[in-house]
Structure formats: C-alpha cells, structure tokens
Amino acid sequence: MSLPLFLVPSLPSPDSRWRLDGPEGHHAANVQRLAVGESLLLSDGRGGLLLAVVAAAHKGALDLDLSAPSFVPAHDPQITVVQGIAKGDRAELAVQLMTELGVDRIVPWQAARSIARWKDAKPVEKWRATVREAVKQSRRAWLPEVTDARTTKQLALTGTVLLLHEEASVPLSTVPLAGDITLVVGPEGGIAPEELAAFPDAVPVRLGREILRTSTAGAAALAALSVRLGRW
C-alpha cells in the first residue's frame, strides 16, 4: 500500500526532528492514527516530496524523523481544463476526478448554459479544497491551480485548444497536439453557439459515440490525453 501524503506550506529541513500539527497533523494522528515507526510523505504541492518516519505520536500532532527531500518535475506539456460550472455535487466530482487523473490547472467557467451561478468566493474555495483532498488521495507532488471563475469574455485560451462537443467529427485520439493543451468542457446544457464562435482557434473534438456528463467528460479526455502524451 502506498504511503499517505500530507500537504505542508514548505518542506522542512531534514537536519532535525519536525512536528506535523494543524489540520494535517490532526488528520495524521487522530484520523489515520499513524503510529511510531510508520512512514508518510510530505509534499509542498510544488513538486517537493519528503519521506518521514513517525518518532512520536501526540493528540493532533506527530513528531517526525525526516529523509532528504526529492523533486518531481512538473508535467510537460501542461494540461489546463476550462470546466463549465455545474450544479450541485457534479462540479466537485469533476474536479476530484480531473485532479486524480493529472490535470495541471482548472479554470471554473461561468458558461451561458451553466445552471449554477456563483455570487461569491465560496464555490471556488470548495473546488480548491476538493483539489487538495484529491491530491492527497492520489499522492500527487503537484497541487493543481484553481483560478477564480471566468466568463467567456474573460477566458484567454492558449496552446492547443480542444473543445469537447457532441456534434464534433474529429476524434480526440487523432487531433495533432503541440505545446501546452487547453481542454474546454461545457456545463450540463452544453456549449452555446455564441460560445463556439468565441473560440475560433479551438478544435471541436469528441470522445466517442456516447455523450458523457460534464462531471466525467473532462476526466475521460484527460485519460485519453495522458496515454497520447506518454504520461501513462
């Protein structure tokens, strides 16, 4: 079984014993109940990884003996997903799956057909919390960025722009890829015609004959791209 991973603001120096406390320490000591002699991973979410062994367990904290840190390079090319804001828990499911499958950046998109309308910062903070938990679950060394929500006019799409669309004729498996990739996923109601016109450089693509939900389409596309890019 792989070692549990905990996120810290920065990796501690391996020269001395170090205490993991706060929310991560509480989870490690009180929820997972890690005991003396067990190992875990610390990550700064920016590629840094450090192996640690529990030297002492306390209520809400662990004292750790640390190994030398290592570094996991960032993905190249990077994959950004512009995710149409969806209603209820579908959005959080999309964010969770995409994080576990290797997305590098997520842009919440207030699309024309998004049923949910964000009026404050609470929803984006929920997405960011979902990303953190998915990073820990999947033992990722990189914490994907989740930007503030953007409207169609505020989107600046760069690199190879792929737009998932049910009426597209080009399979995702055949479209040429060059540089960083931006994947556009519509909300429950799909992408409006005026939004298609707003992305003149995007290549409409499809995954197959089946029509996927907004909560799963991005994850399926990421899996396909991971194979093509040699990540998997």
Side-chain angles (χ1 to χ4, degrees), residues 7 24 91-93 95-97 99-100 106 108 118 121-137 143-147:
L7 290 168
E24 295 291 78
E92 283 71 45
L93 177 59
V95 169
Q96 174 192 334
L97 292 174
T99 301
E100 292 178 3
I106 300 173
W118 289 6
K122 290 182 180 179
V124 74
E125 291 305 325
K126 191 171 183 179
W127 281 30
R128 288 168 180 158
T130 300
V131 163
R132 285 183 63 87
E133 292 307 310
V135 162
K136 292 161 64 175
Q137 169 64 35
L143 182 70
E145 175 191 7
V146 180
T147 72

Side-chain angles (χ1 to χ4, degrees), residues 113-193:
R113 293 178 177 174
S114 289
I115 297 174
R117 293 287 157 179
W118 289 6
K119 298 179 180 179
D120 54 37
K122 290 182 180 179
V124 74
E125 291 305 325
K126 191 171 183 179
W127 281 30
R128 288 168 180 158
T130 300
V131 163
R132 285 183 63 87
E133 292 307 310
V135 162
K136 292 161 64 175
Q137 169 64 35
S138 54
R139 279 62 165 179
R140 288 189 59 176
W142 285 89
L143 182 70
E145 175 191 7
V146 180
T147 72
D148 292 336
R150 296 176 183 173
T151 64
T152 301
K153 290 183 178 180
Q154 293 171 327
L155 289 177
L157 307 183
T158 58
T160 298
V161 181
L162 307 176
L163 189 149
L164 295 183
H165 197 275
E166 62 187 62
E167 297 180 4
S169 58
V170 178
L172 178 61
S173 60
T174 63
V175 66
L177 303 176
D180 291 340
I181 298 167
T182 299
L183 184 68
V184 181
V185 183
E188 301 100 316
I191 298 174

